[in-house]
Amino acid sequence: MATFVLVPGLFMGAWAWEAVAAELEAKGHRAVAVTLPGLAERAGEDAAGIGLASHADAVAEVLAAAGPGTVLVAHSYGAFPCVAAVDRRPELVSRLVFVDTGYPEAGESMVLTMPQLDLLAGVAGDVVPVPKEIPAVHGVPEAEHDRWLRLATPQPVRTVTEPVELSGDWLRVPTTGVFCLASGLNVVFARSLHATGMPRFAKLAEPGVTFFELSTGHYPMLSAPLELADVLERAADGGGRGLYDS
């Protein structure tokens, strides 16, 4: 049995992982879905006082409660607080799984690494407003899309502008990347990054680093929860392909 800690991306809370968590638990695992400060049922908290460090603190607290051997799953923006939390307590995490996202380096923020999202364009006060829709390319069923629109909450702006603090200790932890093909990410793209020779991409080809591809879009917990749960279970056991495996 494995313990999975599931951290969502922008605008979402623990609710986004309900189907994945249920499937993991049906397989005999423990699944802990996280709502970060200022989001979902925690949206009443003071957004002005919540930054990326607040989210990293929240993930670190959940990891400490879960204990050693945890599989930490980070979707999209969730990579930032998850990497920061693992950097503090790498001994608690057996594997860090990135779902349709890359990993930041010290001093980077989400708005710096993902300028194409233009997150600050519609900022209202201390929060980034919820987008009007999930693009159809991501394959989210209508009912799940409607639920997302109903439950999504604005994102505290400092969580996407505050730079992540890292010592590099997290790099010792085995990782798995789950690429969602409709987003344009795949193993071939990861190989091209590694081939640049840039130090930040060296980890992609290390032993213990594996990859999966899913034929869906950026929200697999909504569009393909059973398939994602299966991949997470296999990742926990070290499954998946290496960067240059055929």
Side-chain angles (χ1 to χ4, degrees), residues 36-39 42-52 54-55 123-129 153-162:
L36 296 169
L39 293 157
R42 303 183 64 175
E45 299 175 14
D46 178 24
I50 297 170
L52 177 58
S54 310
H55 283 183
V123 167
D126 299 314
V127 297
V128 180
T153 44
Q155 183 84 17
V157 69
R158 284 180 48 221
T159 64
V160 299
T161 59
E162 195 172 278

Side-chain angles (χ1 to χ4, degrees), residues 158-185:
R158 284 180 48 221
T159 64
V160 299
T161 59
E162 195 172 278
V164 65
E165 297 183 6
L166 301 172
S167 69
D169 285 348
W170 80 272
L171 291 166
R172 305 199 307 266
V173 176
T175 63
T176 294
V178 181
F179 296 123
C180 296
L181 299 180
S183 297
L185 298 178

Side-chain angles (χ1 to χ4, degrees), residues 54-66 81-82 84-86 88-89 92:
S54 310
H55 283 183
D57 290 344
V59 176
E61 289 174 7
V62 175
L63 290 177
C82 285
V86 175
R88 302 178 195 175
R89 300 294 304 274
L92 294 177

Side-chain angles (χ1 to χ4, degrees), residues 7 9 32 34 36 38 54 82 90 92 103 109 128 142 149 151 162-163 176 189 191 205 228 239:
V7 179
V32 181
V34 177
L36 296 169
S54 310
C82 285
L92 294 177
Y103 48 80
S109 66
V128 180
E142 183 177 356
L149 288 174
L151 298 179
E162 195 172 278
T176 294
F189 178 68
R191 288 175 184 165
L228 179 57

Side-chain angles (χ1 to χ4, degrees), residues 59-151:
V59 176
E61 289 174 7
V62 175
L63 290 177
T70 297
V71 179
L72 179 60
V73 181
H75 171 248
S76 192
Y77 157 79
F80 283 82
C82 285
V83 167
V86 175
D87 199 63
R88 302 178 195 175
R89 300 294 304 274
E91 75 280 2
L92 294 177
V93 178
S94 62
R95 183 165 293 271
L96 175 53
V97 182
F98 297 100
V99 178
D100 214 43
T101 187
Y103 48 80
E105 290 202 310
E108 292 182 341
S109 66
M110 188 164 188
V111 294
L112 178 66
T113 59
M114 300 288 286
Q116 69 272 26
L117 297 180
D118 203 18
L119 289 169
L120 301 184
V123 167
D126 299 314
V127 297
V128 180
V130 177
K132 298 183 185 305
E133 63 178 357
I134 296 176
V137 68
H138 295 307
V140 177
E142 183 177 356
E144 285 299 299
H145 184 253
D146 290 345
R147 189 168 75 105
W148 186 85
L149 288 174
R150 186 173 71 253
L151 298 179

